[in-house]
Structure formats: C-alpha cells, structure tokens
Amino acid sequence: MDLTSGPGDLKPAAGRGTSPTAHSHVYGHPVAAYLLIASATDELLVVHPANAPEQWHLPGGIVEQYESPLDTARREALEVLGLDLNLRENDLLSVEWIKATRPRRRNRLAFLFAGPVLTAADTEHIRVQNEELDGWRWASRAEARAVLHPAVAAQVALPLERAGRALYCEIR
C-alpha cells in the first residue's frame, strides 16, 4: 500500500521499478479496497501514513495484479495492522467510482468493506507496519469525516449493519 499518494496516482509505489511515464498510456481505472473497522463504542479506526503529516486514511490500499478487492482488504489488514481478518464477500459496504480531481491522476474505483467490531482486547493485537504507517487511532465518525479525504469521508456515515446489501461476487 502506497499511502504517500492517492489510489489513482500515476506514480507507482516505491520499489516497483517503473517510472511515472511508463504508466502514461495505461488504460482502465486503478482499483483500491478499504476497511471500515469500528470499536465497540462505534469509533472508527483510522491510520496515519508515515510520510504524510496532515493525512489520515482508512486501512487499505491498491488492488495488485491477480488479486481481488476482498483479498486486498485482507492482505492490507494483515500487512499494515497485523490483523488476520475473516472478511467475506457480504462484508461489502460500497463500490464507488471516484473522479480524478488533479492532473496526473486517473478516475478510480474504491471498494469499502465492513471490518469487524474490535474489542479492547482485539486492539492489543494491532501491530503497525512502520515502513508505511506511523500510527493509528480511534476517531468518532465526526472526527473521521474531518480528517479523511472527502471522497472517503462521505462513506464513514454508512452503518456497518448495511454490509451485505451491495452485490459483490468473486469469480476465480
């Protein structure tokens, strides 16, 4: 997950070995998958990128080649938070097409999955991957809407009970 850039940036994640110009003729939409994880008191888990002081995000990232959005959500939870989550297809809350708003970005698709409601004991198992994140915290829904990107902030109003009402199918 490259949280230093938006999901639709043409710049590849560090270490991928390609230049931004190599993607100038790439067609299609970048796809990302994120998790809405709540506490027992209905606060939301937000993460802070290591090199973006003013930005907060939901856990998640870019769908890699040969990976489904659901697999991405599972992988990202494990990689950046150390949480092995049993996410299922019916945990999908929404799929959103996000229009590019800056030069050198493309329109993108974002899948939002409802993660589990974590107890205080569950949060003791969170282990932040220091290369990408420098922290996490619980935020009220109002706080989350204030610190997240507006395209993401609109989604935090969704109740987790809404999961399963969006149609999502994986054909492998």
Side-chain angles (χ1 to χ4, degrees):
M1 174 170 74
D2 179 20
L3 290 177
T4 61
S5 58
D9 284 353
L10 294 177
K11 182 181 86 176
R16 300 265 166 96
T18 56
S19 69
T21 57
H23 294 282
S24 62
H25 294 94
V26 174
Y27 297 99
H29 301 290
V31 178
Y34 297 96
L35 285 162
L36 197 59
I37 299 173
S39 71
T41 58
D42 199 40
E43 292 179 303
L44 301 177
L45 190 147
V46 293
V47 295
H48 192 262
N51 54 359
E54 68 282 346
Q55 294 182 350
W56 287 86
H57 294 271
L58 293 176
I62 297 295
V63 174
E64 295 180 356
Q65 189 173 11
Y66 307 115
E67 184 177 56
S68 73
L70 182 59
D71 288 337
T72 298
R74 290 179 186 132
R75 175 182 53 79
E76 289 290 346
L78 187 59
E79 284 180 5
V80 300
L81 296 172
L83 296 174
D84 188 8
L85 302 180
N86 183 25
L87 300 171
R88 300 172 318 254
E89 291 176 2
N90 65 351
D91 289 329
L92 182 68
L93 283 172
S94 68
V95 177
E96 186 170 282
W97 177 79
I98 302 168
K99 184 176 168 56
T101 58
R102 295 190 320 238
R104 305 213 26 92
R105 290 188 60 138
R106 295 184 289 158
N107 299 331
R108 59 198 183 277
L109 292 172
F111 288 73
L112 180 63
F113 291 92
V117 174
L118 299 182
T119 65
D122 293 330
T123 62
E124 292 177 15
H125 297 288
I126 294 176
R127 301 291 179 261
V128 173
Q129 182 189 59
N130 293 333
E131 296 83 38
E132 295 187 33
L133 303 176
D134 61 14
W136 69 275
R137 72 178 179 99
W138 292 113
S140 70
R141 289 182 186 259
E143 289 173 314
R145 284 191 295 272
V147 300
L148 294 170
H149 185 281
V152 177
Q155 297 297 321
V156 302
L158 295 172
L160 297 180
E161 295 81 31
R162 189 171 177 265
R165 293 190 185 163
L167 179 60
Y168 179 65
C169 181
E170 289 188 7
I171 301 171
R172 297 183 188 243

